[in-house]
Amino acid sequence: MIDRISGIALNTFRESVRDKVLVTLIIFAVVVMGSSRVIQPLALGEEAKIIKDIGLSAITLFCVLISILVGGRIVYREVERRTIYIMLAKPVRRWEFILGKYLGLMAVLVVSLVVMTAAFYLILLVLGVGAPLYLLLAVLMTLFELAILTAVAVLFSSFSTPITGAVFTFAVYFVGHMSRDLKLLAAISPSPVVKAVSYFSYYVLPNLANFNIRPEVVYGVPLGPSALLLPGLYALVYAATVLLISAAIFNRREF
Amino acid sequence: MASLPEPVISVIRLSKVYHSGFRMKRIRALDDISLEVEKGEIFGFLGPNGAGKTTLIKILMGLTEPTSGTAQVFGRPPRDAKAKARLGFLPESPYFYDHLTAREFLVLAARLSAVTKSETAGRVTGLLRLLRMENAADIQMRGFSRGMLQRVGIAQALVADPELVVLDEPMGGLDPIGRKEFRDVIVDLRDRGKTVFFSTHILSDVEMICDRVGIVIEGRMVEVGRLSEILTGDVESIEVTVRGVTGKTQKILERVSQHSLRSGDELLLTVKGEEEVDRIMAISREVGGIRVVGIVPHRRTLEDFFMAHVAKAGRSRD
Ligand SMILES: Nc1ncnc2c1ncn2[C@@H]1O[C@H](COP(=O)(O)OP(=O)(O)O)[C@@H](O)[C@H]1O
Ligand SMILES: [Mg+2]
């Protein structure tokens, strides 16, 4: 079982790494981080904070793009090219296939995060604005967020086309960052329909705003261990649930 | 107590209805099909395009569910991983991962089929050699021709040394040399005790290597059996060539035959059986100047059989 899942994951990883989309996105991210220097002139202390914020935001943004763009077609591609016939005729269970695809893409994202973060620290060092290690906490939180988002992308990919999948995954990402507003909207809206939709979205869609601790790390606000542990646990449970649903849907599909 | 050997493939009253298009038009791709494939035989599944061959194979591979009826592989439901561990599958016009080399892909296939790490390298190299692909083994499959993909396809199907090999149109896209090589591979599998189930719309593929065939037309199985039983050894007709024919002798001879063709002083007569041949011989002895120069019996070919069924299906539809 482990062999089969890791085999599929490795294949997914190779496919993405040998794909131009990934390399292009990583290069773009590095260019954006490097060009943050251009934002001049600002007070000296402010400049360092802005460079860090732009860098961390760029890492998150481009990894989210990789997750949505690559994840959105990850299963669809196998169906479209009929490679799925060969994979599923092997003694591979359908849930193993879904999990392997997911883990492969997560491996791609981990490598992308590492590459981009290394570039980010290099830029900080070159600019001489200081490169404290606690900035890494924000990167770790991005990884947790990506664990959820990628599961959502795989879910849509397991039954819809890449464009629909990407649009819906992006919508989940967008609404997921407005969780607090949704709850507020649900509380104050007089319309029962708006109330219902808001509550539904609030409880079903992932609460992604919690994963943004960039302001805290950039301004050096101290964070307790629970600020990391709880989101980590939340991401694990949420991603596992979404993957279970994906596997159940994929299990019923005919090719 | 001796128990009957369990069939490798068993299909009972299987039907599949697709709903396609905007108005969900019903397409009956398979209509009440039953068949059994025994261990160690080459079974040819023959039918024109659109007959339902791929649909049945997809059901056997657990890719699609039947609308009614049951299909079993090694006595298990097709989706069972234990059944799939014992078979290899080559889909119709296969396509693989562009980003992998043939060797990388075969290693992946071996890994998914639980071939041990120590065995994998040897197996893969052996298959690449068998299919004469050593030169292309380490380049990405991006630019592979149809024939090359077909070779990779059979190699990945065989990588776990399965007991059953299922091939959907395996000769598609191959040149005559490639077809011959594929036939040799299939016959060799049978000689090693494997079971082979393959589909084709090309008669000669079946005629040359199959132990048994099933003929499917418009989703219905019109015939299943040994080739020798389907094509009973009966002589269908005999062609007799007579030389030195004149207008008068032609008239006499034509009374015996079903069909005739005159060319110069030669007459080609098609007759029903040996009795008629005897009469032609008698006539040639009585009438001077003519001589029987050739007698060729015609046996029923699979092609005759196939065409007759296709024609019948066409008529019943009108
Ligand atoms: N996924 C599908 N949806 C709708 N119709 C299909 C589908 N697959 C096959 N068919 C139809 O079912 C019939 C049998 O197709 P198929 O099994 O591919 O035939 P063959 O392999 O013998 O050429 C055809 O009429 C085909 O158009
Ligand atoms: Mg077909």
Side-chain angles (χ1 to χ4, degrees), chain B residues 197-307:
Chain B
F197 180 93
F198 80 93
S199 79
T200 181
H201 64 276
I202 295 161
L203 291 153
S204 57
D205 293 343
V206 174
E207 252 169 338
M208 270 183 253
I209 57 174
C210 285
D211 299 305
R212 281 200 309 141
V213 299
I215 297 179
V216 62
I217 291 171
E218 293 183 348
R220 242 164 292 180
M221 192 73 105
V222 297
E223 193 83 35
V224 198
R226 305 207 153 271
L227 264 182
S228 56
E229 287 161 11
I230 293 179
L231 315 171
T232 43
D234 296 352
V235 173
E236 284 260 290
S237 62
I238 303 174
E239 282 180 1
V240 184
T241 313
V242 184
R243 195 170 285 166
V245 178
T246 61
K248 205 176 118 208
T249 45
Q250 182 176 352
K251 285 236 173 62
I252 303 169
L253 289 166
E254 277 175 349
R255 253 178 260 149
V256 184
S257 71
Q258 296 175 299
H259 184 78
S260 69
L261 188 72
R262 173 93 182 254
S263 131
D265 74 337
E266 262 187 24
L267 188 67
L268 178 71
L269 297 156
T270 308
V271 300
K272 254 195 246 138
E274 289 172 27
E275 219 172 281
E276 286 80 8
V277 177
D278 286 345
R279 283 183 56 199
I280 292 173
M281 299 296 269
I283 293 167
S284 77
R285 254 177 272 120
E286 274 168 38
V287 184
I290 61 170
R291 207 155 31 97
V292 173
V293 294
I295 301 175
V296 182
H298 272 266
R299 280 169 218 287
R300 196 177 188 201
T301 65
L302 191 53
E303 179 147 14
D304 299 331
F305 184 84
F306 192 53
M307 293 322 262

Side-chain angles (χ1 to χ4, degrees), chain B residues 32-48:
Chain B
D32 201 15
I33 287 214
S34 298
L35 73 93
E36 278 190 357
V37 177
E38 306 295 337
K39 182 174 170 4
E41 68 177 348
I42 302 179
F43 189 95
F45 193 43
L46 179 66

